[in-house]
Amino acid sequence: MSKILKEIKESLAVLSIPEKAAFFPKFFKTGKGEYGEGDLFLGVTVPDQRSVAKEFYSKINLKELSELLSSPYHEHRLTALLMLISKFEKTKDQAVKDEVIKFYLNHLQHINNWDLVDTSCYKILGRYAFENQKENLLRELSKSDQMWHKRIAVVGTMYYVKKGSFELTKEFVTQNLHHPHDLMHKANGWLLREMGNKNEAVLIDYLNKYYKEMPRTCLRYAIEKLDEEVRQDYLKGRI
């Protein structure tokens, strides 16, 4: 283990909170047959992980990040992704950005819980796809059989939504509208809600076409910010 990796792991270990270590496995569904099965936790809060990432991101290389991101401990993986985000956002060198994207795509198997996906995908892969017109990077993931890949794709379009571009979000939500897992229903609804925050008329138009076939969780997330009367109209199928 390199000196920098040892320092990072020791820094996280010192920040471990036993109560959190006991709580997180239940919160992130690590039981037999659950989506986070087998994941291990140190019990470090996200703000503390951000502090560690801020301290070390400029000192660690991608080879070392690969080792950290391959760890069985959840906080090691999230901290690695936080450092990867900083490396991507702080550089103006296109070659470095290309390298970060290649690294991200080569380590998807370790980006395997909703917080790991949601924290990293739109800030790295979504932004890169938008700025380089490489939507197919996200499309390929949206077509994948793996749920985390699909979630990376749709949440990755958050960067597009923030820029006022909605077509890719609608494409992926529609493509996976009937996915069997609740975590996809939540992701789809969340992105639709964010789309509505930018342009409510676009959301209403989409809802009017698809709301009757949406999973209930997806619909509830999507309409959360609408006026209560309109929300009730959708929930009770009056539109």
Side-chain angles (χ1 to χ4, degrees):
M1 187 189 305
S2 71
K3 180 182 177 182
I4 193 74
L5 272 176
K6 186 177 180 181
E7 288 180 16
I8 291 169
K9 290 183 177 182
E10 287 177 350
S11 296
L12 290 170
V14 167
L15 294 166
S16 173
I17 301 170
E19 293 81 5
K20 296 290 185 183
F23 170 73
F24 286 156
K26 300 171 187 175
F27 182 73
F28 286 102
K29 307 294 185 185
T30 65
K32 182 74 172 176
E34 294 183 307
Y35 61 76
E37 181 178 350
D39 209 352
L40 302 177
F41 289 84
L42 298 169
V44 184
T45 67
V46 173
D48 282 343
Q49 290 177 72
R50 290 189 184 280
S51 296
V52 172
K54 184 177 180 181
E55 179 181 354
F56 289 103
Y57 83 89
S58 62
K59 305 172 186 177
I60 192 170
N61 61 42
L62 289 183
K63 183 178 179 181
E64 292 162 331
L65 263 183
S66 178
E67 186 174 338
L68 192 62
L69 188 53
S70 303
S71 170
Y73 285 96
H74 193 99
E75 290 92 340
H76 289 170
R77 302 201 304 283
L78 181 55
T79 302
L81 289 169
L82 291 170
M83 289 191 284
L84 192 67
I85 291 167
S86 292
K87 283 184 175 293
F88 184 79
E89 291 180 339
K90 301 292 185 182
T91 186
K92 294 182 179 179
D93 188 334
Q94 186 62 40
V96 173
K97 290 185 176 182
D98 292 344
E99 191 175 15
V100 169
I101 293 303
K102 183 178 179 181
F103 177 95
Y104 191 86
L105 292 172
N106 284 339
H107 289 79
L108 291 178
Q109 70 268 32
H110 305 299
I111 307 171
N112 57 354
N113 214 313
W114 58 265
D115 62 321
L116 304 176
V117 168
D118 298 354
T119 298
S120 65
C121 66
Y122 77 90
K123 291 182 177 180
I124 297 177
L125 193 58
R127 178 176 177 177
Y128 183 87
F130 180 86
E131 292 179 345
N132 295 277
Q133 295 81 53
K134 291 192 174 183
E135 286 75 21
N136 280 341
L137 289 175
L138 297 174
R139 280 199 178 93
E140 289 304 311
L141 294 177
S142 184
K143 296 173 185 175
S144 169
D145 292 333
Q146 297 190 41
M147 180 182 69
W148 297 125
H149 292 184
K150 290 180 180 295
R151 185 162 174 128
I152 286 170
V154 71
V155 178
T157 69
M158 178 73 79
Y159 196 85
Y160 286 74
V161 170
K162 288 179 179 292
K163 296 294 184 180
S165 177
F166 310 123
E167 292 308 309
L168 206 58
T169 300
K170 292 190 287 183
E171 176 185 331
F172 294 166
V173 170
T174 305
Q175 185 179 64
N176 293 294
L177 196 61
H178 301 292
H179 191 278
H181 206 291
D182 188 57
L183 282 174
M184 281 304 298
H185 304 168
K186 291 177 179 178
N188 288 339
W190 171 32
L191 267 293
L192 290 175
R193 183 185 69 207
E194 293 303 311
M195 186 174 76
N197 286 342
K198 292 288 287 187
N199 189 321
E200 188 172 298
V202 173
L203 172 61
I204 294 295
D205 180 67
Y206 185 87
L207 288 173
N208 289 349
K209 292 178 183 176
Y210 293 105
Y211 86 95
K212 288 186 177 179
E213 60 182 283
M214 278 183 186
R216 202 67 169 175
T217 299
C218 177
L219 178 60
R220 286 187 177 278
Y221 270 59
I223 65 177
E224 185 178 3
K225 298 293 183 66
L226 299 180
D227 289 341
E228 182 60 24
E229 185 176 346
V230 177
R231 284 185 67 256
Q232 290 302 321
D233 284 342
Y234 281 116
L235 288 171
K236 295 176 180 177
R238 297 191 296 230
I239 294 175

